[in-house]
Amino acid sequence: MSAAGSNLWPRFSDIQEAAAALASVLSPSGLFRSVRLDKIVGGRLLVKSETLQPTGSFKIRGAWNKIRKLGSEDLSTGIFALSSGNHGLAVSWAARAAGARRTVILVPQDAPRAKIDGARRLGAEIVAYDRRTVDRTALVAEWRDGNGLVYMPAFDDPDVIAGAATVALHGAQSAADMDFPIDDFVVACSGGGLAAGSVLALREMSPGTKVWAVEPEDFDDTAQSMESGRRVAIRTSGSTICDALLSPEPGELTFAINRLGLAGVVRGSDHHARVGMAAAFSEFGLIVEPSGALALGAALDGALDLRGRTAMVVLSGRNVDREVFTSELVKLDRENR
Amino acid sequence: MSAAGSNLWPRFSDIQEAAAALASVLSPSGLFRSVRLDKIVGGRLLVKSETLQPTGSFKIRGAWNKIRKLGSEDLSTGIFALSSGNHGLAVSWAARAAGARRTVILVPQDAPRAKIDGARRLGAEIVAYDRRTVDRTALVAEWRDGNGLVYMPAFDDPDVIAGAATVALHGAQSAADMDFPIDDFVVACSGGGLAAGSVLALREMSPGTKVWAVEPEDFDDTAQSMESGRRVAIRTSGSTICDALLSPEPGELTFAINRLGLAGVVRGSDHHARVGMAAAFSEFGLIVEPSGALALGAALDGALDLRGRTAMVVLSGRNVDREVFTSELVKLDRENR
């Protein structure tokens, strides 16, 4: 049985346990709705925003669910993570809340300033590396074995996936409160943790729901992997404004789950991200980062056919530099002219 | 006894009744906090955002509290309001929810597009007037007496003030839950309804709290009125980006309350509004309109001395055109360079 065998998959009870542990951490917030957006898709959109969570993304769920289980010995040594942003912020926040002595975040040199500054303000040490030249596996080994710190994976980990799965668990609970069965559940996809968690939560809570992952068209590793039936590591010369969705390869565990559970993978464009950002601005008053808005924009721009359906779309994060946010909205206005 | 005699003031039981009636209408949301902003003011900031309420401002509270009391005869004729924006949006929403047959919003020709379009989408008829030439009292009389519609005042009304007062009531409840006594409560001020409501709610719930109103420096009618001890109608050739705070004169009832209850009135600048918008962006991921961010910006920029104090600041609305939002943030970056 491979390392990604289903005995490693989080069980539904793990997801429920994560949700209970997260109750004191998460911000209260309901679903966002808009008559105008419903008209655009020709269906019913339920928008679940994770942008108001501590550190501004869903990543707090996985990070907290992992870190809360650490023993005092691990906490007194310290932890580290590799992250271009939201995972690093979430780990820094959770590590401080749990009382870790030391938190190191290894960030690519081109990571967004808003995210790096945020992690530093939360007390993390920031160590930059060059994303084009450094072997990430070797980097992890160096910090784990060399410095004895505990590694916090960003997605390919049962506890992190169980934490991420609580997004769908809470979303399905809210939808049930409103008596809306969810036909489609749409999330952005990088390493696939949020998608995999959604698959696991919804197959219990709402088995009829189709789970869709949206990834940047030039970073379509999960789409390519789904198409070829095995994990594909992409090499791309492309670029995207979705700085949180740059993973070159799906996780082993996440892909094993997503391969069986996803209804499909949609390739989203930078234009989609901008459309999603603008819609969240105008309809909900929410700042959403490009990666966090990609799923909504793809849904609104017809990349998914949601006519006559009830779809829940996740806004996964909000951490974007102010200049990037304003310039992308200006770009959208030019595209629309 | 004048029309603004204290027998007309909403009682605390009216405010509690408004809060009960609003429970099914309001969005769940807690207080927002930021270590960085606390450092800037040298105290403890509790930010109460009204931007996530239906129609994106605190105005839904007063509008709903007024409209819920209308009889079926009034609803079957219809209602109207004068508003440059948020009040009009709130009235349109509440009127539709209550089943009013007709809703007319009279708007100045230079009102923000985001607000006008929103009211129209909520089913209101929009009628534009010229703010520089039209006598607003005559306009109200024309629509009330000529067309028989029920007038929905924006602030100078006991039910509207009792509704607005629930912002402070809910804020004080949240602060009490966290065991933080509030030293200062800071709100933006146009006609003075939010300020007056805050005064009335807090003198019951938290009598030691000082209530501060912040208004644009060139639209300082409440400050001038406080200074001269009577209502002053200002004539100004100035301008401000705070399009929701243009009232030329305090209300009769609101001023009677504010004169006795306010700790002071602060004159805020466009720069303050921009500082507040940028802070809400970076720290909370919230879109806030200039008027809604003025109080926060004034607090952050030292216009109020909050050192060593616990201050609750209200973000009162989010409805801003995208181009205005982005261009004001770009302007701030230039100011800071």
Side-chain angles (χ1 to χ4, degrees):
Chain A
M1 188 130 213
S2 86
S6 61
N7 58 328
L8 279 182
W9 296 17
R11 290 158 303 170
F12 188 61
S13 60
D14 296 322
I15 300 170
Q16 289 176 306
E17 194 191 303
L22 280 161
S24 63
V25 167
L26 299 179
S27 304
S29 77
L31 298 176
F32 291 82
R33 300 208 50 202
S34 153
V35 174
R36 183 149 60 150
L37 299 190
D38 282 1
K39 273 193 194 141
I40 291 174
V41 301
R44 185 190 285 134
L45 272 190
L46 308 174
V47 176
K48 175 136 190 71
S49 183
E50 289 291 291
T51 63
L52 303 177
Q53 301 299 358
T55 72
S57 84
F58 80 98
K59 287 284 188 181
I60 195 68
R61 296 173 183 262
W64 181 254
N65 195 45
K66 180 95 188 152
I67 287 177
R68 74 181 176 90
K69 295 183 172 179
L70 292 183
S72 58
E73 202 176 324
D74 285 338
L75 289 174
S76 68
T77 311
I79 63 175
F80 78 104
L82 248 80
S83 170
S84 64
N86 286 329
H87 176 59
L89 280 172
V91 165
S92 303
W93 190 97
R96 188 159 82 163
R101 198 183 63 77
R102 186 181 180 199
T103 306
V104 177
I105 309 294
L106 308 172
V107 302
Q109 283 160 346
D110 57 353
R113 219 179 46 212
K115 292 174 176 172
I116 296 178
D117 290 350
R120 192 175 282 126
R121 275 200 303 275
L122 288 164
E125 300 166 43
I126 305 295
V127 179
Y129 70 90
D130 187 333
R131 200 155 50 81
R132 293 156 307 178
T133 59
V134 160
D135 173 28
R136 301 212 270 185
T137 311
L139 192 63
V140 168
E142 177 194 329
W143 280 85
R144 182 173 48 205
D145 306 332
N147 297 311
L149 298 183
V150 180
Y151 178 49
M152 292 290 131
F155 50 83
D156 209 19
D157 176 278
D159 292 326
V160 173
I161 293 172
T166 63
V167 175
L169 178 136
H170 288 140
Q173 282 172 345
S174 302
D177 288 346
M178 299 192 299
D179 245 341
F180 290 150
I182 312 172
D183 298 314
D184 302 282
F185 193 86
V186 191
V187 297
C189 181
S190 183
L194 179 57
S198 305
V199 164
L200 295 180
L202 293 171
R203 70 172 181 177
E204 284 285 337
M205 298 189 70
S206 179
T209 302
K210 292 185 173 179
V211 180
W212 303 90
V214 185
E215 58 185 356
E217 52 199 354
D218 284 342
F219 291 80
D220 60 343
D221 49 298
T222 295
Q224 288 194 31
S225 300
M226 293 282 282
E227 283 152 14
S228 61
R230 56 176 181 78
R231 289 164 72 213
V232 172
I234 57 164
R235 290 184 182 191
T236 178
S237 56
S239 69
T240 172
I241 59 172
C242 298
D243 58 72
L245 306 178
L246 303 181
S247 167
E249 187 179 15
E252 200 174 342
L253 184 51
T254 54
F255 181 63
I257 297 165
N258 287 332
R259 188 169 58 152
L260 295 177
L262 282 184
V265 183
V266 175
R267 291 172 171 92
S269 65
D270 283 359
H271 177 71
H272 288 149
R274 288 190 276 271
V275 167
M277 291 164 75
F281 179 127
S282 305
E283 300 303 309
F284 310 128
L286 296 174
I287 305 282
V288 185
E289 61 184 279
S291 308
L294 185 68
L296 178 60
L300 292 173
D301 211 49
L304 274 156
D305 184 359
L306 301 175
R307 280 173 297 177
R309 301 177 69 85
T310 295
M312 186 171 292
V313 179
V314 177
L315 302 175
S316 41
R318 72 148 190 254
N319 295 297
V320 53
D321 289 335
R322 225 159 61 207
E323 307 78 54
V324 173
F325 185 81
T326 55
S327 74
E328 292 304 328
L329 287 187
V330 169
K331 220 175 276 175
L332 179 66
D333 288 332
R334 263 192 240 118
E335 287 170 351
N336 288 345
R337 223 167 263 157
Chain B
M1 190 133 213
S2 87
S6 61
N7 59 327
L8 280 182
W9 297 16
R11 289 158 304 171
F12 188 61
S13 60
D14 296 323
I15 300 170
Q16 289 175 307
E17 196 191 302
L22 280 160
S24 63
V25 167
L26 300 179
S27 303
S29 76
L31 299 175
F32 290 82
R33 300 209 50 201
S34 152
V35 174
R36 182 148 63 147
L37 299 190
D38 283 0
K39 273 193 194 139
I40 291 174
V41 300
R44 184 191 284 134
L45 272 191
L46 309 174
V47 177
K48 175 136 189 71
S49 184
E50 289 291 292
T51 64
L52 303 177
Q53 300 300 358
T55 72
S57 84
F58 79 98
K59 288 284 189 181
I60 195 69
R61 296 174 183 260
W64 182 253
N65 195 46
K66 179 93 187 153
I67 287 176
R68 74 182 175 90
K69 295 183 172 180
L70 293 182
S72 57
E73 202 175 325
D74 286 337
L75 289 174
S76 67
T77 312
I79 64 176
F80 78 104
L82 248 81
S83 170
S84 63
N86 287 329
H87 175 59
L89 281 172
V91 165
S92 304
W93 190 97
R96 189 159 82 164
R101 198 184 63 79
R102 187 183 178 195
T103 305
V104 176
I105 309 294
L106 308 172
V107 302
Q109 283 160 345
D110 57 353
R113 220 179 44 215
K115 293 175 176 172
I116 297 176
D117 290 350
R120 192 176 283 126
R121 274 201 303 275
L122 288 163
E125 300 166 44
I126 305 296
V127 179
Y129 70 90
D130 188 333
R131 199 154 51 80
R132 293 157 307 177
T133 59
V134 160
D135 174 29
R136 300 211 268 186
T137 311
L139 192 62
V140 168
E142 177 194 328
W143 280 85
R144 183 173 46 203
D145 307 331
N147 297 312
L149 298 183
V150 180
Y151 178 49
M152 292 289 130
F155 49 84
D156 210 21
D157 177 278
D159 292 326
V160 173
I161 294 172
T166 61
V167 175
L169 179 136
H170 288 139
Q173 283 172 344
S174 303
D177 287 347
M178 300 192 299
D179 244 340
F180 290 150
I182 313 173
D183 298 315
D184 302 282
F185 193 85
V186 191
V187 297
C189 182
S190 183
L194 179 57
S198 304
V199 164
L200 295 181
L202 292 171
R203 71 173 180 177
E204 285 284 336
M205 299 189 68
S206 179
T209 303
K210 292 185 174 178
V211 180
W212 304 90
V214 185
E215 57 185 358
E217 53 199 353
D218 285 341
F219 292 80
D220 60 344
D221 49 297
T222 295
Q224 288 194 30
S225 300
M226 294 281 282
E227 283 153 13
S228 61
R230 55 178 181 79
R231 288 162 74 212
V232 173
I234 58 163
R235 290 185 183 191
T236 179
S237 56
S239 69
T240 172
I241 58 172
C242 298
D243 58 72
L245 307 177
L246 301 181
S247 168
E249 187 179 15
E252 200 174 343
L253 184 51
T254 55
F255 181 63
I257 297 165
N258 286 333
R259 187 170 57 154
L260 295 177
L262 282 184
V265 183
V266 174
R267 291 172 172 91
S269 64
D270 282 0
H271 176 71
H272 288 149
R274 288 190 276 271
V275 167
M277 291 164 75
F281 180 126
S282 304
E283 300 304 309
F284 310 129
L286 295 174
I287 304 282
V288 186
E289 62 184 277
S291 309
L294 186 67
L296 177 61
L300 292 174
D301 212 49
L304 274 157
D305 184 0
L306 301 175
R307 280 173 296 178
R309 300 179 69 86
T310 295
M312 187 172 292
V313 180
V314 177
L315 302 175
S316 40
R318 72 149 189 253
N319 295 298
V320 53
D321 289 335
R322 225 158 63 205
E323 307 77 52
V324 174
F325 185 82
T326 55
S327 74
E328 292 304 328
L329 288 186
V330 168
K331 221 175 275 176
L332 180 66
D333 288 332
R334 264 191 241 119
E335 287 170 351
N336 288 345
R337 224 167 260 156

